[in-house]
Amino acid sequence: MSVERLHERYVLLRATNPAGPLPEMRPGQFAQLRADLAPNTFLRRPISINFVDVTANEVWFLIQTVGEGSRSFARLQTGDMLNAVLPLGNGFTLPATSAERVLLVGGGVGTAPLLYMGSQMLAMGCRPTFLLGARSKGDLLQMEAFQRLGDVFVTTEDGTAGERGFVTQHSVLRERQFDRISTCGPKPMMVAVARFAKSAGIACEVSLENMMACGVGACLCCVEDTQEGHVCVCKEGPVFNMEDLKWQI
């Protein structure tokens, strides 16, 4: 495993499996990582699958260090072992054809699963469009990697990069037509994106970030109220069609 500090609050882990090939993973799925360097952290931490490099047999995790558990991952050293259960959950829907116009919208660390989604789209001949939001220029992560995959548009709250404001205010939403939107990030952002998609008649999938403990639907920690009743996000999601959620959109 290798460890790269991208930002004072973000670390990128690249992990491999010395015992053999990694399992097949889909964009939008996640892993439950054990925080071995945090003795007071007993539960695993759910972390999105950021990217899968099949050639190198690597899976990447982009981690925001906000608590004791996540901060412990930043203390890992290259060559350390990472205990992970993966892949978990259901992922994003890939385009039906290469002609489908898909917009991938991310905010903060919610941009993480969109990198792998974009790479899978490009591999099938469908060039993605990314719309990435952050507080400031320094909070925009992995920009070169995104730019290698598709067209990248940016908003920052302070105007230090891209257009000033929120993702739903970006001019690309007025200037281009899309068939589908996939989004991940803070809930207020995703609700706003879902409302825009509904008003524009665009299909939309959202990746929820409910608190998760077990990752397999046993502890009922991540329950979400949907049109079909209460479901565990870790098992039925984390990706949902916006029409299945009770978000008053």
Side-chain angles (χ1 to χ4, degrees):
M1 182 184 70
S2 66
V3 184
E4 180 182 357
R5 174 75 74 169
L6 300 183
H7 184 281
E8 62 181 4
R9 297 192 303 275
Y10 298 95
V11 63
L12 179 65
L13 306 183
R14 296 185 178 94
T16 188
N17 180 15
L22 289 163
E24 182 178 350
M25 289 169 265
R26 303 193 308 275
Q29 290 186 300
F30 67 99
Q32 289 284 104
L33 305 185
R34 194 173 72 190
D36 290 331
L37 298 184
N40 295 322
T41 301
F42 302 105
L43 299 174
R44 292 175 180 267
R45 293 296 185 261
I47 304 295
S48 295
I49 292 168
N50 176 220
F51 186 75
V52 178
D53 186 335
V54 177
T55 302
N57 197 36
E58 284 184 346
V59 56
W60 299 5
F61 302 105
L62 178 63
I63 300 175
Q64 183 178 14
T65 55
V66 294
E68 181 182 3
S70 57
R71 285 197 299 269
S72 74
F73 296 122
R75 298 197 298 270
L76 292 168
Q77 302 293 319
T78 296
D80 285 348
M81 296 296 292
L82 179 68
N83 189 301
V85 178
L86 80 168
L88 298 170
N90 295 302
F92 290 110
T93 301
L94 286 167
T97 70
S98 60
E100 192 168 348
R101 299 163 297 182
V102 182
L103 176 66
L104 306 181
V105 184
V109 76
T111 62
L114 304 184
L115 186 66
Y116 187 34
M117 176 68 168
S119 71
Q120 293 295 286
M121 287 177 55
L122 192 62
M124 61 178 292
C126 183
R127 184 176 175 84
T129 300
F130 298 99
L131 177 53
L132 310 177
R135 291 182 178 179
S136 185
K137 180 179 180 179
D139 296 311
L140 292 167
L141 305 170
Q142 301 179 299
M143 290 298 291
E144 291 184 1
F146 281 112
Q147 290 165 350
R148 287 194 292 268
L149 299 175
D151 299 328
V152 180
F153 298 90
V154 168
T155 65
T156 51
E157 294 179 26
D158 63 3
T160 51
E163 296 185 10
R164 186 186 187 101
F166 302 114
V167 290
T168 49
Q169 299 169 324
H170 199 286
S171 58
V172 71
L173 298 179
R174 300 186 300 272
E175 296 168 355
R176 294 193 180 190
Q177 298 292 319
F178 298 101
D179 302 307
R180 180 188 300 274
I181 297 175
S182 298
T183 184
C184 182
K187 184 175 179 178
M189 183 209 78
M190 291 194 293
V191 169
V193 170
R195 285 174 175 165
F196 164 80
K198 189 172 184 66
S199 68
I202 303 172
C204 180
E205 288 185 328
V206 301
S207 179
L208 302 189
E209 296 184 327
N210 296 33
M211 293 292 294
M212 301 179 194
C214 71
V216 294
C219 69
L220 305 181
C221 176
C222 61
V223 168
E224 179 77 17
D225 190 14
T226 72
Q227 301 293 351
E228 299 299 323
H230 291 86
V231 301
C232 291
V233 169
C234 66
K235 185 176 180 181
E236 303 299 329
V239 177
F240 292 88
N241 186 308
M242 69 174 180
E243 299 290 350
D244 295 334
L245 300 175
K246 291 186 176 181
W247 276 7
Q248 297 181 358
I249 56 175

